[in-house]
């Protein structure tokens, strides 16, 4: 704390991301990155010519990238917004839509960046408890609200909501913006992206950090009605005109265009997830049904924090959260087959 800090900074409760330690031989299962490299086409985009052009500012509107995403989802480029990671896109969304008199609603167990944005932008919010089985029930979300946001699948539970339930929510909740954060949707969830043509208050957020293996590049996107996108552009252009650099734009286009590589990696991750789930269950863990690239698992001995520490001593990093309802769980990113075999082997050696 310093006397130079503004009141806003004094009151902030910043989000704490999973660690990125530099340890040789580390098996990193703590931040839901892809265990596979990005599409080989991404490397081809990093030509000398592209590097030479780094002296020039990029296209502030990322037109080519928006066209690529529009083609991919069969929507219009005017329905797309891109930013420097979906965290930044989310920050702009909170600023553009959620500074309302009525409270923003999101699940009590959810992406822990949401309350951090609320603090930063002084947004009034209420959390809605997940049901006992850790599912979201939209019946618990009243129509009087300043907006609704939830991840689908939810994080860190990994449990998805069917599209039909999201549509039922949209049919009745017409007076505020509904944001579906689809960071993990590619691993088995159902995207609501096509509903943007039907519901002018729906905004979808996606990231290139998980299923497309570009976490280090920082690219996220929003899809929604053109008027919602215009609002995001207004905020963005009051903040940073060029959130997507030249290399990030080229890499993202390459990643979207290489659909077969994308599907190949995604399918491998899903297969490894199912194997990991069975193995963990055999070791006595309760594993929530996952539609994501991670599993949320509760050890039989209720010693999640201790296990996370012991795994770390064996150079395996997983994520443990201290929030009361979930402090008995570990969030484990799905890595390669070899990484998950090692995880299981080390867990077995603990004689759980
Ligand atoms: C639910 C959810 N939303 C958004 C993000 C942010 O992703 P990024 O900023 O890498 O695009 C994450 C990252 O872990 C996440 O779990």
């Amino acid at each position: 704390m310093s006397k130079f800090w503004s009141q806003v900074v004094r009151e902030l409760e910043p989000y704490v991301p999973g660690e990125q330690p530099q340890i040789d031989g580390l098996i990193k299962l703590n931040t839901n990155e892809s265990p596979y490299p990005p599409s080989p086409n991404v490397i081809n985009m990093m030509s000398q010519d592209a590097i030479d052009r780094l002296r020039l500012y990029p296209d502030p509107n990322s037109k080519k990238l928006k066209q690529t995403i529009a083609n991919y989802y069969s929507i219009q480029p005017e329905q797309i917004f891109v930013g420097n990671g979906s965290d930044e896109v989310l920050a702009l969304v909170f600023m553009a839509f959620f500074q309302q008199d009525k409270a923003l609603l999101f699940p009590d167990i959810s992406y822990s960046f949401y309350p951090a944005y609320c603090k930063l932008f002084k947004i009034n919010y209420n959390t809605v408890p997940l049901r006992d089985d850790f599912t979201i029930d939209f019946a618990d979300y009243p129509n009087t609200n300043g907006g609704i946001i939830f991840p689908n699948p939810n994080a860190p539970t990994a449990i998805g909501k069917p599209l039909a339930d999201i549509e039922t929510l949209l049919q009745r909740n017409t007076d505020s913006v509904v944001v579906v954060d689809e960071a993990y949707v590619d691993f088995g969830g159902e995207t609501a992206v096509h509903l943007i043509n039907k519901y002018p208050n729906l905004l979808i957020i996606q990231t290139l950090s998980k299923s497309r293996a570009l976490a280090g590049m920082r690219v996220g996107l929003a899809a929604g009605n053109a008027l919602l996108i215009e609002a995001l552009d207004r905020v963005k252009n009051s903040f940073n005109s060029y959130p997507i650099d030249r290399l990030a734009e080229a890499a993202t286009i390459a990643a979207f265009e290489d659909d077969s590589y994308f599907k190949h990696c995604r399918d491998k991750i899903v297969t490894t997830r199912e194997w990991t789930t069975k193995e963990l269950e055999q070791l006595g863990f309760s594993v929530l049904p996952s539609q994501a690239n991670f599993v949320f698992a509760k050890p039989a001995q209720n010693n999640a924090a201790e296990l996370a520490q012991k795994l770390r001593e064996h150079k395996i990093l997983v994520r443990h959260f201290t929030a009361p309802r979930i402090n008995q769980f570990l969030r484990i990113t799905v890595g390669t087959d070899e990484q998950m075999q090692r995880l299981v082997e080390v867990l077995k050696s603990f004689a759980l």
Side-chain angles (χ1 to χ4, degrees):
M1 189 84 77
S2 148
K3 68 174 180 179
F4 301 118
W5 289 15
S6 68
Q7 195 55 34
V8 172
V9 173
R10 284 165 196 266
E11 288 169 11
L12 287 181
E13 281 171 34
Y15 171 75
V16 183
E19 27 170 359
Q20 299 286 347
Q22 304 297 320
I23 300 173
D24 280 348
L26 182 73
I27 298 185
K28 199 172 168 301
L29 308 176
N30 68 327
T31 47
N32 300 342
E33 291 138 329
S34 174
Y36 302 111
S39 158
N41 295 355
V42 168
I43 292 134
N44 300 338
M45 300 300 287
M46 305 289 156
S47 63
Q48 192 55 47
D49 182 46
I51 292 166
D52 288 346
R53 275 183 290 128
L54 284 176
R55 68 191 177 77
L56 301 171
Y57 283 108
D59 171 9
N61 298 313
S62 310
K63 271 201 248 36
K64 268 197 202 153
L65 172 55
K66 287 183 183 174
Q67 190 60 59
T68 305
I69 301 168
N71 294 348
Y72 188 83
Y73 281 121
S74 305
I75 54 178
Q76 300 303 312
E78 301 74 40
Q79 293 173 300
I80 295 162
F81 179 84
V82 286
N84 182 15
S86 62
D87 281 339
E88 185 192 83
V89 176
L90 285 166
L92 302 180
V93 165
F94 274 62
M95 251 193 275
F97 305 115
F98 294 153
Q99 289 177 316
Q100 307 281 347
D101 294 337
K102 293 177 196 151
L104 170 67
L105 305 178
F106 51 84
D108 64 339
I109 294 164
S110 182
Y111 187 33
S112 32
F113 226 133
Y114 301 158
Y117 295 130
C118 289
K119 280 268 178 197
L120 178 61
F121 302 127
K122 298 195 174 305
I123 292 166
N124 175 17
Y125 70 94
N126 287 329
T127 56
V128 181
L130 294 183
R131 291 295 171 107
D132 288 344
D133 60 357
F134 292 98
T135 57
I136 295 174
D137 190 338
F138 292 128
D140 301 333
Y141 288 67
N143 280 354
T144 311
N145 61 67
I148 296 176
I149 183 166
F150 57 90
N152 189 38
N154 195 8
T157 64
I159 301 175
K161 288 297 287 179
L163 204 52
D165 290 10
I166 294 175
E167 187 151 18
T168 307
L169 171 73
L170 288 162
Q171 276 159 358
R172 69 168 171 83
N173 191 90
T174 52
D175 291 332
S176 69
V177 173
V178 175
V179 178
V180 187
D181 179 351
E182 294 189 346
Y184 302 103
V185 78
D186 290 327
F187 300 102
E190 294 178 274
T191 180
V193 89
H194 296 106
L195 296 182
I196 64 171
N197 291 318
K198 223 165 147 189
Y199 299 96
N201 60 332
L202 171 64
L203 200 64
I204 306 299
I205 309 294
Q206 291 191 356
T207 177
L208 276 280
S209 300
K210 315 294 179 183
S211 56
R212 292 178 199 274
L214 284 175
M217 205 95 219
R218 311 305 299 130
V219 183
L221 66 99
N225 182 282
L227 289 175
L228 296 185
I229 300 303
E230 189 182 329
L232 288 175
D233 274 329
R234 287 172 71 101
V235 180
K236 173 216 134 195
N237 289 325
S238 309
F239 182 71
N240 175 9
S241 310
Y242 310 102
I244 300 284
D245 65 67
R246 284 178 173 274
L247 295 181
E249 178 168 28
T252 308
I253 291 172
F256 265 105
E257 285 181 345
D258 195 353
D259 208 35
S260 63
Y261 180 81
F262 158 74
K263 286 182 175 147
H264 174 70
C265 294
R266 180 202 58 194
D267 292 350
K268 274 208 286 194
I269 291 168
V270 168
T271 305
T272 310
R273 177 185 74 203
E274 297 313 304
W275 179 86
T276 307
T277 301
K278 281 204 193 87
E279 291 289 320
L280 288 173
E281 283 174 347
Q282 272 171 22
L283 288 170
F285 282 80
S286 312
V287 185
L288 300 189
S290 171
Q291 289 180 294
N293 68 337
F294 58 90
V295 291
F296 206 44
K298 186 171 180 277
Q301 309 289 339
N302 286 340
N303 56 347
E306 183 196 329
L307 270 189
Q309 183 51 38
K310 279 170 76 179
L311 285 169
R312 195 192 166 90
E313 285 157 19
H314 286 74
K315 291 196 177 182
I316 300 177
L317 266 196
V318 299
R319 191 102 199 247
H320 174 254
F321 297 93
T322 52
R325 274 186 87 184
I326 52 170
N327 61 7
Q328 290 309 333
F329 283 81
L330 295 177
R331 194 195 67 187
I332 306 172
T333 304
V334 177
T336 60
D337 284 344
E338 296 72 33
Q339 290 175 327
M340 303 321 274
Q341 280 156 12
R342 173 76 188 140
L343 168 81
V344 170
E345 191 183 290
V346 170
L347 285 171
K348 280 183 181 158
S349 76
F350 296 162
L352 294 170

